[in-house]
Amino acid sequence: MPTITLPPKENALFKRILRCYEHKQYRNGLKFCKQILGNPKFAEHGETLAMKGLTLNCLGKKEEAYELVRRGLRNDLKSHVCWHVYGLLQRSDKKYDEAIKCYRNALKWDKDNLQILRDLSLLQIQMRDLEGYRETRYQLLQLRPAQRASWIGYAVAYHLLEDFEMAAKIVEEFRKTQQTSPDKVDYEYSELLLYQNQVLREAGLYKEALDHLNNYEKQICDKLAVEETRGELLLKLDRPEESSEVYRKLQERNPENWAYYQGLEKALKPGSTEERHKIYEDAWVKFPKGLVPRRLPLNFLKGEKFCECLDSYLRMNFSKGCPPVFTTLKSLYTDKDKVSIIEELVVGYETCLKSCRMFNENDDGKEEPPTTLLWVQYFLAQHFDFIGQPILALDYINAAIDSTPTLIELFLIKAKIYKHAGNIKEAARWMDEAQALDTADRFINSKCAKYMLKAGLIKEAEEMCSKFTREGTSAVENLNEMQCMWFQTECALAYKAMNKLGEALKKCHEIERHFVEITDDQFDFHTYCMRKMTLRSYVDLLKLEDVLRQHPFYYKAARTAIQIYLALHDKPLTDDNKESQADTENLTDKELKKLRNKQRRAQKKAQLEEEKKNAEKEKQLKNQKKKKEDDDEEIGGPKEELIPDKLAKPDSPLEEAVKFLIPLKNLVRNQIETHLLAFEIYFRKEKYLLMLQSIKRAVAIEHSNPWLHQCLVRFFKGVSESADLPEAVRTVLKQEISRLFGESNPQSYNKNYLSQHSNSIPHRLAAAKMMVYLEPPSDKMACEIATALDESLSGKSIQICTEVLEALRDGQLGDAQQKVADAYRAACHKIYPYSLAFMPPGYQDNSTNISANGDLSAGEHDDMSNEM
C-alpha cells in the first residue's frame, strides 16, 4: 500500500503521539492513536498503527503490539517510521540482530535520519560490530560535525578497532575545537586529555604521551593519575633518574602502596639483594610507621636477614593489634624455611609474653599490654590451621577466647579451623556464635549464612540473610533481585549435595540470567559516557563486558550446572507416580490402606503449604503491580519462570550443558577443568573429534592431571572399541592417539602412569579407577593402590580421602568393597579426627541446632575438642 499522507489536523495528533511516547505518557498516546484510527479514512494508517503497537509494548502487551506493528508495516513498507518502530520492538525483546536489519531498512527510506543512525550505532557497539559502528559514527559525524559526541564516538570506534594512531588524530582534531582557558578547571576536558594520553600510550607513542602529559598537566584534574602515568612512561623511555624521583614523590603521598615501591625498584635496578634491601631501609627512616616497606623485603630476603626483618614487622603489628597480619604473610608460606622461621619466632613471642610480658626476655623496654598476647595467639591459631594442624590451632584459639570472650574475630577463626578440619556443621555453629555478638554487622551475617549453606542448613541461612533484606519480600527473592551471586552459588552447591537437582539448577540459571542482565545493562552507558566524557572508564567497561563470563561466579555456576546435567543424562529422574505404583503392587491390603492414609495426609499438608505460598506470592505480586503502575513503564514482558521440577527433567540434558559450556570454552581456556567438562559432555555424545580437541587442550595445560588421565584412558578404550567410525575420522584419531599415548594399549599406558606417579594419592586413585574400568577382576589390587595412606605419599587431604571413600562405596573400585571402605574410613578418622566424612557410623552430631538469632543449643566452646 502507498504511504498515506495525513492532513494537518491528524498530522498534529501524530506528532503528539510521538511526544507522549518520548515523555512516557503512554495512556495519552493511546487516546490520540484512537482519534486518528477512529477516522475510517485513516483506519489502516501504517505509521499510527506502528506507534500504537510500540506504546502497547511499553505497557507490557507484547503480542498485541507485534500484531499492530506488523500490520502497520504491511500497510506502509516504504515508511522509515514503521521500520524504525519494528526495530525498537525487536530491541526491547533483545533480538538485536533483527533490530539492526530493521534499522538498515529504515535508513533505505531516510538515509540521513539522526535518530535511526544513533539507535543503529548503539546496537552495533552492543553487538561489537565494530566495522559497522565506525561507518555509522562517520555518517553521524558528517551530519552533525558540531556535536562533540559525533567526534568522540568516531574516535572510540577507531580505538576499539585498535587503530590507535587514527583515534589519537581524531581526538586531537576535536581537542583543538575546545576553547578552554589554561587556568580554568574543566573536569570533562580533563577526562578528554587523559583519554587522549591513554590512546597515545596504547599506540606505543611513549615520548609523545609524555610530552602531551607535560603540556596539559595544569588542565588535568586527576593529579594522582598524572604522576602515576608519568612514572610508567619514564620507565618505558628508560629514564631511571627522573622516574625514581616521581616514585619517591608518590611514596610520600601514600607510603602504603605496593606499586610505588615496585616502580622505584625498576627505576633503580638494584644489582644485589643488599642494594634492593637498601631501598626499603631508606623508606623505614622516611616512614617509621609504614608497614609496606617492612613487609615487601620479606619476599626476597633469606636466613638471618629475613628473621631480623620479620621480627620488627611482627612486633609492630602485634603491639598495634593488627588482625590481618597473617593474611599479609600468607604468600610466604610456599617457602618451607620461611614457615619454620615464622613459627619459631611467634611461638617464642607467646612463651615470653606469658612469662614476662615482653617479646624477648633480653628486651630492654616497657612491658607489652595483655592484648599483644591475644593477637599472637590469634596469629598462631591461623598459622597452625594453614599448615594442617587443627588440634594445635584450636588450643591457641581457645586460649584467646578464654581471655577475651567478646572479640568477634576469634570466633571467626575458630569457625574457619573447624571448616578446614572437615567439620562444617561445627564451623557453622561457631560462625553463628560470632554473628550473635554483633547482629548489625553485615559481613559476619553473610559469612554465617555462607557457612550455614555449606552445612546444608538452607532455611536457617535464608533467615540469617533476611535480617538485611528488604521487608515485605522473601529473602531469597530479594537476594535474587539484588544479584547476590555468592548466596545463589552456595545455595546451588547445597541443593546439589542434598540431591535436589531441580532447585540447584534453578539457582544456576538465576546466576546465568544475572550475567545476561549485566551485558544488557551496558546499553545505558553507550550514550551516557559520550555525554559525560568518562571515556577511559567506558573503554574499560566494554573490555570487561567482552570477558564478563570469565568471572568466578559464572564459572562456579556453569560448572555446577554442567555436572548436574551430566548426572541427569546418566541417571534421569523418573516420575514419582510410576515408582509408587511399582511399590504398591507388592503390598498387602492393610499396608496399602496405611500407605494411602499416609499419602493423603502428606498431600493435605503439601496443599496447605502451597496455599500459604500462593497467598504470600499474591501479596507480593500486588505490591509489585502497584509499583509498576506507578511508573507506568515495563519494557518487554515478564521472564519465563524457573520451575525446579521442569528444570530437573530436561528433554536433552547434554544440550543444556553445552549452553553453559560455550562461554567457558571461549573465555576460561586456561582452566583444565573447562576442557575436562567438555570431554565429559562429548564422551556421552560420542563426538570423538571434539573429545580429541578437549583432551589435547587439557594436555597442553597439565598433562599429568588425574582427571585428565581418566579421560585419556576412556577415550583410548572408546576409540578402539567403536566400529562405526568414518574412515577419515579413524585415521585422524589413530595418528593423534599414537602421538598422545605412544602405547599399544590402554592397560600398559595406565601402568606406566601409575609407576610415574606412585607417590601421589590423587594419581594413584585415578590409576586404580581406570584399572577396574579396563579389567574389572583387578579390583582387589586397585583397592590396595587407592587406599594406601603411607607417610611418604603426597597429595593427602580431606577432599582426596573423601573421594577415595566415595569411589569404594559407589563401586568405582569394584563391587562389594564395604569392608575395605569401613577400614579406610577408620584409618582416615585417625588422621582427620574432626572431619564429619570419616566419623563412625553411629556418630550423632547434636551440636547443629542453630537458630538464626545466634542461640546455640550446645554448651561451652571446647565441648567438641573434648569429644574428640
Side-chain angles (χ1 to χ4, degrees):
M1 255 176 94
T3 305
I4 302 169
T5 312
L6 293 173
K9 184 189 169 191
E10 276 75 12
N11 197 31
L13 280 172
F14 187 75
K15 282 178 179 167
R16 289 179 81 177
I17 294 169
L18 294 173
R19 239 189 336 271
C20 286
Y21 171 72
E22 281 165 13
H23 295 132
K24 298 181 182 177
Q25 297 167 351
Y26 303 127
R27 306 255 180 247
N28 291 341
L30 288 175
K31 280 180 201 168
F32 298 133
C33 288
K34 196 177 179 183
Q35 284 178 35
I36 297 175
L37 298 170
N39 186 332
K41 286 183 190 174
F42 312 117
E44 290 297 308
H45 181 242
E47 293 182 355
T48 309
L49 284 168
M51 281 309 298
K52 185 181 179 183
L54 185 61
T55 309
L56 284 171
N57 183 55
C58 294
L59 293 169
K61 298 177 181 176
K62 193 173 290 261
E63 284 172 21
E64 209 179 323
Y66 266 103
E67 205 177 301
L68 281 165
V69 173
R70 283 180 184 135
R71 200 168 110 207
L73 197 55
R74 277 197 299 275
N75 292 337
D76 198 348
L77 274 168
K78 290 188 178 180
S79 160
H80 71 272
V81 173
C82 291
W83 280 111
H84 190 189
V85 166
Y86 195 33
L88 289 170
L89 211 58
Q90 298 279 18
R91 191 185 95 174
S92 76
D93 255 0
K94 313 278 190 282
K95 295 174 183 169
Y96 298 136
D97 290 326
E98 293 299 316
I100 287 174
K101 287 177 197 169
C102 296
Y103 290 157
R104 288 201 184 282
N105 275 325
L107 288 169
K108 281 180 192 170
W109 309 112
D110 186 2
K111 67 177 184 351
D112 290 344
N113 186 307
L114 276 171
Q115 193 52 52
I116 299 172
L117 282 167
R118 278 195 200 111
D119 285 349
L120 175 62
S121 75
L122 291 182
L123 283 179
Q124 285 169 327
I125 188 68
Q126 181 77 5
M127 298 301 287
R128 300 296 188 269
D129 169 15
L130 299 176
E131 293 287 350
Y133 179 65
R134 182 178 61 186
E135 284 167 28
T136 310
R137 293 309 314 189
Y138 182 57
Q139 279 175 275
L140 282 165
L141 179 60
Q142 285 179 313
L143 292 168
R144 285 282 186 276
Q147 278 187 358
R148 69 178 185 185
S150 306
W151 285 90
I152 295 303
Y154 193 41
V156 168
Y158 273 104
H159 184 182
L160 295 173
L161 282 163
E162 296 188 1
D163 187 346
F164 302 115
E165 290 187 29
M166 186 66 179
K169 280 177 193 168
I170 296 164
V171 176
E172 179 56 26
E173 285 304 313
F174 170 65
R175 193 200 59 73
K176 286 175 187 171
T177 65
Q178 300 296 294
Q179 300 298 317
T180 53
S181 66
D183 305 321
K184 191 186 169 196
V185 175
D186 181 347
Y187 176 75
E188 289 179 8
Y189 184 61
S190 157
E191 276 297 309
L192 176 71
L193 291 169
L194 283 168
Y195 174 67
Q196 187 179 8
N197 198 274
Q198 182 183 334
V199 174
L200 288 169
R201 293 199 311 276
E202 286 181 26
L205 304 167
Y206 302 126
K207 189 167 186 329
E208 289 82 345
L210 186 61
D211 295 341
H212 173 271
L213 206 61
N214 294 333
N215 292 341
Y216 300 108
E217 187 180 346
K218 280 185 182 174
Q219 287 161 288
I220 297 173
C221 304
D222 190 346
K223 301 298 178 196
L224 181 63
V226 170
E227 289 304 315
E228 287 179 343
T229 309
R230 182 180 282 129
E232 281 173 38
L233 287 169
L234 287 166
L235 278 178
K236 291 246 168 68
L237 291 166
D238 203 20
R239 286 156 67 174
E241 286 176 17
E242 292 165 75
S243 63
S244 63
E245 241 355 271
V246 171
Y247 280 114
R248 283 203 172 98
K249 276 184 197 165
L250 284 167
Q251 278 179 1
E252 282 168 24
R253 185 176 178 140
N254 179 7
E256 298 297 318
N257 189 323
W258 292 44
Y260 300 160
Y261 293 93
Q262 284 158 357
L264 188 60
E265 270 193 51
K266 282 177 192 168
L268 296 174
K269 295 176 186 165
S272 63
T273 310
E274 284 72 27
E275 284 177 33
R276 198 174 171 190
H277 191 206
K278 179 83 172 67
I279 298 170
Y280 294 97
E281 283 177 334
D282 294 345
W284 298 349
V285 178
K286 231 178 184 182
F287 317 112
K289 288 185 179 177
L291 289 173
V292 168
R294 292 175 190 278
R295 165 63 189 87
L296 286 176
L298 300 176
N299 292 339
F300 58 84
L301 290 175
K302 298 228 180 313
E304 215 168 291
K305 278 274 183 200
F306 171 78
C307 194
E308 277 174 38
C309 205
L310 178 70
D311 187 34
S312 69
Y313 177 71
L314 287 175
R315 284 180 186 221
M316 268 181 87
N317 280 292
F318 289 145
S319 297
K320 233 191 231 178
C322 182
V325 64
F326 178 77
T327 313
T328 64
L329 294 178
K330 213 186 262 187
S331 58
L332 302 176
Y333 275 64
T334 48
D335 186 330
K336 284 183 181 174
D337 297 337
K338 288 184 179 179
V339 175
S340 56
I341 292 172
I342 293 170
E343 188 176 314
E344 197 183 314
L345 203 59
V346 185
V347 169
Y349 290 164
E350 203 242 359
T351 313
C352 291
L353 284 165
K354 271 183 177 175
S355 60
C356 61
R357 286 182 64 177
M358 284 193 260
F359 283 114
N360 196 311
E361 289 167 357
N362 307 324
D363 284 357
D364 300 325
K366 63 179 183 21
E367 291 182 346
E368 290 292 325
T371 51
T372 307
L373 175 62
L374 173 78
W375 292 115
V376 169
Q377 288 169 334
Y378 176 76
F379 179 92
L380 284 169
Q382 293 174 83
H383 165 82
F384 284 113
D385 173 40
F386 194 75
I387 61 172
Q389 295 184 27
I391 295 170
L392 265 174
L394 282 170
D395 287 346
Y396 281 111
I397 205 69
N398 285 339
I401 290 173
D402 286 337
S403 68
T404 316
T406 52
L407 187 64
I408 296 172
E409 280 88 347
L410 302 179
F411 293 95
L412 212 71
I413 292 303
K414 184 159 184 181
K416 229 177 221 180
I417 294 166
Y418 274 115
K419 184 185 86 166
H420 296 154
N423 193 334
I424 190 62
K425 294 196 171 178
E426 186 69 3
R429 197 173 84 81
W430 284 106
M431 199 53 92
D432 192 52
E433 177 93 336
Q435 78 80 37
L437 291 172
D438 185 359
T439 51
D441 187 326
R442 192 172 186 150
F443 170 74
I444 301 286
N445 180 283
S446 302
K447 229 17 180 170
C448 185
K450 193 172 182 177
Y451 272 55
M452 285 173 166
L453 288 171
K454 283 182 188 293
L457 306 167
I458 296 172
K459 198 102 193 91
E460 290 85 343
E462 285 171 15
E463 280 175 39
M464 183 63 66
C465 286
S466 67
K467 294 177 185 179
F468 286 94
T469 54
R470 194 173 65 234
E471 282 181 42
T473 57
S474 80
V476 177
E477 275 179 32
N478 189 231
L479 289 164
N480 183 35
E481 200 182 308
M482 301 299 288
Q483 298 184 343
C484 186
M485 288 187 255
W486 66 263
F487 182 83
Q488 290 170 314
T489 308
E490 291 298 337
C491 261
L493 292 168
Y495 280 126
K496 183 181 163 222
M498 292 159 80
N499 214 26
K500 293 184 178 178
L501 302 183
E503 294 284 357
L505 282 173
K506 183 183 175 182
K507 295 294 171 200
C508 295
H509 280 279
E510 280 175 358
I511 292 170
E512 214 282 326
R513 280 185 178 181
H514 294 330
F515 280 88
V516 172
E517 277 169 32
I518 293 166
T519 307
D520 291 337
D521 285 347
Q522 64 180 306
F523 224 106
D524 305 328
F525 292 97
H526 299 315
T527 45
Y528 174 84
C529 293
M530 299 278 176
R531 204 170 66 244
K532 293 286 185 187
M533 296 295 264
T534 55
L535 301 172
R536 290 180 302 154
S537 305
Y538 176 56
V539 172
D540 287 347
L541 167 77
L542 295 179
K543 286 175 181 172
L544 168 73
E545 292 283 1
D546 289 341
V547 293
L548 187 66
R549 281 178 170 78
Q550 263 183 3
H551 197 282
F553 281 147
Y554 183 81
Y555 187 74
K556 273 187 189 175
R559 184 178 61 194
T560 308
I562 292 168
Q563 286 166 348
I564 292 169
Y565 281 125
L566 289 172
L568 288 172
H569 174 268
D570 297 345
K571 200 177 174 185
L573 295 183
T574 49
D575 287 338
D576 299 334
N577 302 342
K578 283 181 191 170
E579 274 184 28
S580 57
Q581 263 179 345
D583 290 344
T584 52
E585 283 170 17
N586 308 321
L587 298 176
T588 63
D589 289 349
K590 202 177 179 183
E591 284 172 329
L592 199 62
K593 197 178 177 184
K594 217 176 182 182
L595 181 72
R596 293 267 182 264
N597 286 337
K598 196 177 178 184
Q599 283 175 340
R600 219 173 282 126
R601 278 199 301 274
Q603 207 174 341
K604 213 173 184 183
K605 194 180 176 186
Q607 208 174 334
L608 283 168
E609 276 183 15
E610 193 64 35
E611 279 171 17
K612 199 178 172 186
K613 257 188 190 176
N614 288 342
E616 263 181 42
K617 255 191 184 174
E618 259 177 53
K619 199 179 172 186
Q620 284 167 16
L621 279 170
K622 268 184 190 173
N623 291 342
Q624 285 169 1
K625 262 188 189 172
K626 200 178 176 190
K627 195 182 167 195
K628 276 176 193 171
E629 277 167 19
D630 287 347
D631 44 85
D632 216 26
E633 184 200 10
E634 175 58 43
I635 292 182
K639 286 178 185 166
E640 188 191 344
E641 197 184 344
L642 296 167
I643 302 157
D645 293 343
K646 202 174 165 187
L647 289 170
K649 293 171 187 170
D651 299 329
S652 171
L654 295 179
E655 290 308 317
E656 294 296 325
V658 168
K659 286 178 193 172
F660 278 96
L661 176 73
I662 289 165
L664 300 187
K665 279 181 79 173
N666 293 335
L667 297 170
V668 201
R669 292 196 198 105
N670 58 339
Q671 287 264 25
I672 193 165
E673 236 178 313
T674 299
H675 306 300
L676 298 178
L677 287 169
F679 174 85
E680 295 293 351
I681 295 170
Y682 299 135
F683 183 75
R684 286 157 177 79
K685 284 182 145 196
E686 295 184 4
K687 299 269 179 81
Y688 284 98
L689 289 175
L690 286 169
M691 281 189 240
L692 178 65
Q693 180 199 59
S694 303
I695 55 177
K696 280 189 79 175
R697 286 175 178 174
V699 166
I701 296 169
E702 188 192 339
H703 65 89
S704 64
N705 182 286
W707 183 8
L708 170 60
H709 172 68
Q710 295 174 56
C711 295
L712 286 164
V713 172
R714 283 155 62 205
F715 175 67
F716 201 162
K717 191 184 178 198
V719 172
S720 55
E721 287 176 2
S722 60
D724 53 346
L725 281 175
E727 200 50 48
V729 174
R730 191 176 289 283
T731 313
V732 170
L733 291 174
K734 269 190 178 174
Q735 280 178 3
E736 290 299 329
I737 281 176
S738 62
R739 203 175 296 168
L740 277 170
F741 300 96
E743 295 288 340
S744 53
N745 62 4
Q747 283 87 345
S748 57
Y749 177 74
N750 192 41
K751 274 179 191 165
N752 270 0
Y753 180 82
L754 180 60
S755 61
Q756 281 170 14
H757 303 283
S758 58
N759 301 340
S760 162
I761 295 176
H763 295 85
R764 288 170 74 101
L765 173 62
K769 280 183 185 176
M770 289 304 99
M771 201 181 273
V772 176
Y773 176 73
L774 295 167
E775 299 169 291
S778 63
D779 56 350
K780 201 175 178 192
M781 188 182 169
C783 282
E784 282 174 23
I785 291 165
T787 56
L789 287 168
D790 308 347
E791 284 298 318
S792 58
L793 297 178
S794 63
K796 198 188 298 174
S797 68
I798 292 174
Q799 192 187 347
I800 197 68
C801 291
T802 311
E803 279 177 35
V804 174
L805 194 57
E806 279 171 12
L808 287 166
R809 284 174 178 166
D810 62 20
Q812 288 183 59
L813 294 170
D815 300 326
Q817 299 290 358
Q818 192 54 44
K819 273 188 179 175
V820 182
D822 289 344
Y824 185 73
R825 184 206 54 71
C828 289
H829 180 57
K830 284 178 185 168
I831 303 167
Y832 303 112
Y834 296 102
S835 178
L836 290 177
F838 312 122
M839 288 293 175
Y843 173 77
Q844 279 295 315
D845 187 30
N846 302 318
S847 60
T848 54
N849 308 331
I850 304 173
S851 79
N853 306 314
D855 306 322
L856 299 176
S857 61
E860 286 305 304
H861 60 255
D862 53 354
D863 57 353
M864 190 69 192
S865 14
N866 291 345
E867 220 172 278
M868 295 303 161

